[in-house]
Amino acid sequence: MSDTESNIGIPAEDRAKIADGLSHVLADTYSLYLKTHNFHWNVTGPMFNSLHAMFMTQYNELWLATDEIAERIRALGHFAPGGYSAFGKLTSIKEAPEQPPEAMEMVKQLAEGNEAVARTARKIFSIVEDAGDEVSVDLLVSRMQYHEKTAWMLRSTLG
């Protein structure tokens, strides 16, 4: 083992699988951040003020989450993806359309995006748990809780 290789009690093969899975979570989170921020800028209509504020709260939380996820990947001894090209290959989130949709369509797309991030996190949960990586388990639980609750709140806005 080199001086720069991680020795945290999780085998290298497991750390690689976890880092790969977290890279997908990171890409989804960043892509949803971009979409949410775009919708914050471009929302219009009678619910402008409340949606503008709600989207701002959400994109700020997503921005902070990207750092937490990327730093966990680094703690596992791997490099975090960081470019649009890399994120494009890893994400399951559809880009915002060039022409911003109506406000309620924005809400629907953000609800779907939050559900997608929760699914991505859930896909790797058993790998993380089986590896005994309690830190990543905690991270994933907190991400799933956030995204499931946010999706519920967005869907509730739809009526």
Side-chain angles (χ1 to χ4, degrees):
M1 180 179 339
S2 72
D3 290 341
T4 59
E5 191 173 328
S6 182
N7 183 15
I8 59 174
I10 300 170
E13 183 178 322
D14 290 339
R15 286 187 287 106
K17 288 178 191 173
I18 295 166
D20 179 65
L22 288 175
S23 292
H24 284 84
V25 175
L26 176 61
D28 274 4
T29 303
Y30 192 85
S31 298
L32 184 59
Y33 158 78
L34 285 174
K35 187 177 219 175
T36 305
H37 210 152
N38 176 288
F39 288 174
H40 164 79
W41 292 328
N42 293 304
V43 69
T44 60
M47 293 185 63
F48 167 80
N49 199 41
S50 59
L51 291 177
H52 186 73
M54 180 171 52
F55 296 165
M56 182 171 66
T57 299
Q58 291 173 7
Y59 78 67
N60 281 325
E61 198 287 332
L62 291 165
W63 179 252
L64 294 173
T66 60
D67 199 49
E68 185 179 2
I69 298 162
E71 288 178 356
R72 182 63 192 151
I73 294 167
R74 294 297 295 131
L76 291 166
H78 294 268
F79 290 108
Y84 292 116
S85 175
F87 285 155
K89 292 174 188 168
L90 295 168
T91 191
S92 68
I93 305 295
K94 293 180 184 173
E95 272 191 89
E98 285 188 38
Q99 179 65 38
E102 297 293 322
M104 288 302 106
E105 178 61 22
M106 289 178 175
V107 171
K108 179 180 178 277
Q109 287 185 28
L110 294 180
E112 291 169 350
N114 277 279
E115 291 168 345
V117 181
R119 287 191 305 272
T120 299
R122 188 166 274 107
K123 281 180 190 174
I124 67 162
F125 193 83
S126 63
I127 294 166
V128 171
E129 199 171 40
D130 290 348
D133 183 358
E134 292 84 0
V135 175
S136 294
V137 165
D138 184 56
L139 173 65
L140 290 173
V141 167
S142 104
R143 298 311 317 145
M144 289 186 291
Q145 285 174 331
Y146 172 80
H147 290 290
E148 290 175 9
K149 183 176 181 179
T150 301
W152 159 66
M153 290 183 168
L154 288 161
R155 289 210 180 275
S156 293
T157 304
L158 294 171

